[in-house]
Amino acid sequence: MKWNCIASKGLIPLRIHVEKDYESLSELAASVVAYDIVQNPNIVLGMATGGTPIGMYKVWVNQVREGNLSFREATTFNLDEYLGLDATHPKSFRFFMQENLFKHIDININRTFFPIDDMNQPFFEYDSLIQQESGIDVQILGIGRNGHIGFNEPGEDFNRLTHVVELTESTRQANARFFSNSEEVPTHAITMGLASIMNAKKVVLLASGVDKSLAIYNSISGEVSPKYPASILQQHPNCTVILDEDAASLLPK
Ligand code: PGA
């Protein structure tokens, strides 16, 4: 395994690893986080939805089935949730996590949290709850084509905690693939803020595919700027970036 460290403009080296393809990216991401789970079974994980982490979740499901990994003592906090969909809605992120991970592993479902309350209303005390659980040990992230992380779109203030956002048209279009049509995509969501994400002790950012290459280039090699929300990760003391060759294609060799 070859780690490339680059000194980003944020002055803290990000650990960047480039894998050949999505499958090997998923394998590597799964083992990087599984290592932490094995070291600390009471781990608090920050979870992400979207297409990118699905491969990593599949690897974990197999590892749990084979008896090599357990989430029995783990706690999870998802990054974000749509507003206006209840938890049983097949397009809610709660449902996504249930289908892609939770129902296949040995996690205690009462220890899996989302930033909405029992009435599906925004849960603004999310960051306090995370701190009560002694903070997120490992936050998993995907990245949007415009450099967003969670639902923190370009221009977002780096200092915000969990908050409600109106989704941009580009994000609604990108997420329309999970719905029958773009009209069905909710207009609002609640997301951990960039400060919530930066409070995690460790961050693992995943990106696959050429359509993420510009976002990765701008976020990793450019200035730290609200224009590219993920660029704040250059200032995180423990951030690992796992890419496939396509997503890394614009980075300097
Ligand atoms: P994706 O989404 O994993 O489906 O590409 C990532 C994101 O928009 O944050």
Side-chain angles (χ1 to χ4, degrees), residues 113-126:
F113 298 101
F114 289 74
I116 53 169
D117 64 19
D118 295 343
M119 307 296 291
N120 299 314
Q121 297 301 310
F123 179 50
F124 292 111
E125 300 307 312
Y126 204 48

Side-chain angles (χ1 to χ4, degrees), residues 1-220:
M1 184 161 92
K2 186 164 126 300
W3 291 94
N4 303 315
C5 284
I6 65 162
S8 59
K9 298 237 169 46
L11 300 181
I12 299 168
L14 296 165
R15 282 188 297 277
I16 300 180
H17 190 69
V18 182
E19 283 290 315
K20 187 170 171 358
D21 54 22
Y22 177 68
E23 198 183 337
S24 41
L25 170 159
S26 301
E27 292 276 350
L28 178 62
S31 22
V32 164
V33 184
Y35 178 84
D36 290 329
I37 300 170
V38 170
Q39 296 297 309
N40 173 19
N42 291 306
I43 197 163
V44 179
L45 294 170
M47 308 300 263
T49 52
T52 312
I54 289 178
M56 177 180 71
Y57 294 157
K58 284 192 175 136
V59 177
W60 283 349
V61 168
N62 286 332
Q63 290 175 337
V64 170
R65 283 194 182 135
E66 287 158 7
N68 296 324
L69 185 65
S70 174
F71 290 80
R72 218 175 352 257
E73 312 292 331
T75 299
T76 63
F77 286 92
N78 262 77
L79 262 178
D80 43 18
E81 181 57 286
Y82 288 122
L83 294 178
L85 305 182
D86 71 40
T88 58
H89 192 289
K91 305 302 175 191
S92 72
F93 290 159
R94 160 70 77 184
F95 192 89
F96 174 101
M97 291 305 298
Q98 195 64 19
E99 289 303 300
N100 288 291
L101 186 65
F102 295 157
K103 78 177 188 190
H104 308 288
I105 61 173
D106 54 353
I107 198 160
N108 174 355
I109 214 68
N110 296 323
R111 303 291 305 158
T112 63
F113 298 101
F114 289 74
I116 53 169
D117 64 19
D118 295 343
M119 307 296 291
N120 299 314
Q121 297 301 310
F123 179 50
F124 292 111
E125 300 307 312
Y126 204 48
D127 295 275
S128 308
L129 182 62
I130 292 171
Q131 289 320 311
Q132 274 168 37
E133 296 292 335
S134 74
I136 289 176
D137 294 303
V138 184
Q139 175 66 57
I140 296 148
L141 293 176
I143 185 169
R145 279 174 232 160
N146 61 3
H148 76 208
I149 45 178
F151 277 128
N152 296 285
E153 302 286 3
E156 187 58 90
D157 184 338
F158 286 148
N159 296 310
R160 289 192 86 178
L161 296 171
T162 300
H163 61 285
V164 168
V165 288
E166 181 169 2
L167 301 181
T168 61
E169 207 39 48
S170 75
T171 294
R172 291 186 71 229
Q173 291 296 339
N175 288 5
R177 68 194 194 276
F178 298 114
F179 292 78
S180 338
N181 61 63
S182 59
E183 295 301 298
E184 275 185 20
V185 185
T187 55
H188 290 77
I190 180 161
T191 183
M192 282 187 203
L194 294 166
S196 321
I197 292 169
M198 290 297 280
N199 280 336
K201 291 163 205 158
K202 174 172 170 178
V203 174
V204 177
L205 174 74
L206 312 178
S208 165
V210 74
D211 59 338
K212 300 294 174 67
S213 58
L214 189 57
I216 287 295
Y217 172 80
N218 285 326
S219 303
I220 288 179

